[in-house]
Amino acid sequence: MAAYKRVLLKLSGEALMGDDAFGINRKTIERMVSEIKEISDMGVEIAIVIGGGNIFRGMTGGAAGMDRATADYMGMMATIMNALALQDAMKQAGMDARVQSALRIDQVVEPYIRPRALRQLEEGKIVIFAAGTGNPFFTTDTAAALRGVEIGAEVVLKATKVDGVYTADPKKDPTATRYSTVSFDEAISKDLKVMDATAFALCRDQNMPIRVFSIVKEGALKRIIEGSDEGTLVQCKPI
């Protein structure tokens, strides 16, 4: 039985690279889609916000010295490319996925319209939110927090390559331990950097819990939906 009815899954663009230096690794995206399909088949309504770092990483040399707003708009378009790739992989897996973009590209994707997104979720479709918030200077973490609140998600699932939030960087400190749960206030006081400050403040103010987990760890997403102690839960009051 699913512990959540509606979730917002935040996927980093880097998670789509697999072992590649940049771009999209097809096997990686197909594996992610199969795990998302598992929880969709359990009746969970799923919205996804996806980053664009994997695409933009291949352009970093050309972006050096560029105006920040221009670079951010380029990053938003990279998220649209990722969203289309994810939608295509989902359709090939027999899933009904829709892309809604905060930037208007009507020939390619639907514009973001909240009532439409809610209707599509209720119909069992996967809704992929692209182009962040549509504004420069805001990250896709902030977009995930914002869209999560707007659609009434029960939790923001932040998929990373690390299986939770640690007391220190586990790659540098072998004694680092994983938090099972942590409060927003403790995460701030210890500078745990769960999300960027704007996204984190929005989740805290709206009492939106965040679950940080590893998308690389097979079956982790399903275990979270089933209520297992996977990753790190960040919430207003620790359990």
Side-chain angles (χ1 to χ4, degrees):
M1 183 177 178
Y4 300 108
K5 181 181 178 183
R6 180 177 293 172
V7 301
L8 189 292
L9 176 62
K10 168 59 171 61
L11 282 175
S12 69
E14 286 80 359
L16 303 182
M17 297 190 305
D19 295 326
D20 298 340
F22 57 87
I24 298 168
N25 183 288
R26 191 66 191 182
K27 288 185 179 179
T28 298
I29 198 171
E30 286 174 353
R31 182 187 60 77
M32 288 183 188
V33 165
S34 69
E35 297 207 8
I36 294 169
K37 187 176 189 301
E38 271 193 303
I39 68 169
S40 177
D41 290 343
M42 294 168 65
V44 180
E45 297 174 1
I46 308 161
I48 299 172
V49 168
I50 193 162
N54 59 315
I55 303 294
F56 200 67
R57 182 175 293 188
M59 303 184 292
T60 51
M66 186 178 291
D67 174 75
R68 169 65 189 274
T70 300
D72 282 357
Y73 280 118
M74 289 173 65
M76 289 180 220
M77 288 187 281
T79 72
I80 296 173
M81 295 169 67
N82 279 339
L84 289 171
L86 186 61
Q87 180 190 43
D88 178 76
M90 287 181 169
K91 286 187 175 180
Q92 291 191 36
M95 303 166 70
D96 193 352
R98 303 297 173 87
V99 177
Q100 290 197 10
S101 171
L103 293 179
R104 296 293 297 262
I105 311 179
D106 295 350
Q107 296 93 329
V108 182
V109 292
E110 300 176 14
Y112 169 65
I113 301 174
R114 179 175 174 269
R116 182 186 293 173
L118 291 170
R119 185 178 69 251
Q120 290 172 347
L121 288 169
E122 290 164 359
E123 292 170 350
K125 297 178 175 68
I126 310 295
V127 182
I128 306 168
F129 296 121
T133 65
N135 301 289
F137 307 105
F138 291 95
T139 68
T140 50
D141 274 356
T142 300
L146 177 62
R147 297 291 181 246
V149 171
E150 286 183 308
I151 65 170
E154 296 165 83
V155 64
V156 172
L157 303 177
K158 182 171 181 179
T160 70
K161 291 186 176 182
V162 181
D163 64 339
V165 178
Y166 280 76
T167 54
D169 187 342
K171 293 181 180 179
K172 298 178 181 178
D173 185 354
T175 66
T177 57
R178 178 180 65 87
Y179 289 96
S180 175
T181 183
V182 64
S183 71
F184 282 102
D185 290 341
E186 186 178 0
I188 292 170
S189 66
K190 294 182 177 179
D191 194 25
L192 296 178
K193 300 190 184 302
V194 177
M195 282 183 159
D196 75 73
T198 303
F200 198 74
L202 178 57
C203 286
R204 182 188 59 183
D205 292 347
Q206 297 299 319
N207 196 16
M208 170 70 72
I210 306 165
R211 173 77 72 171
V212 182
F213 73 104
S214 172
I215 194 66
V216 178
K217 195 174 176 182
E218 189 173 348
L221 182 57
K222 184 180 180 182
R223 287 193 292 274
I224 288 170
I225 297 302
E226 291 174 336
S228 298
D229 177 23
E230 186 76 36
T232 300
L233 178 65
V234 185
Q235 56 185 359
C236 283
K237 292 181 180 180
I239 295 172

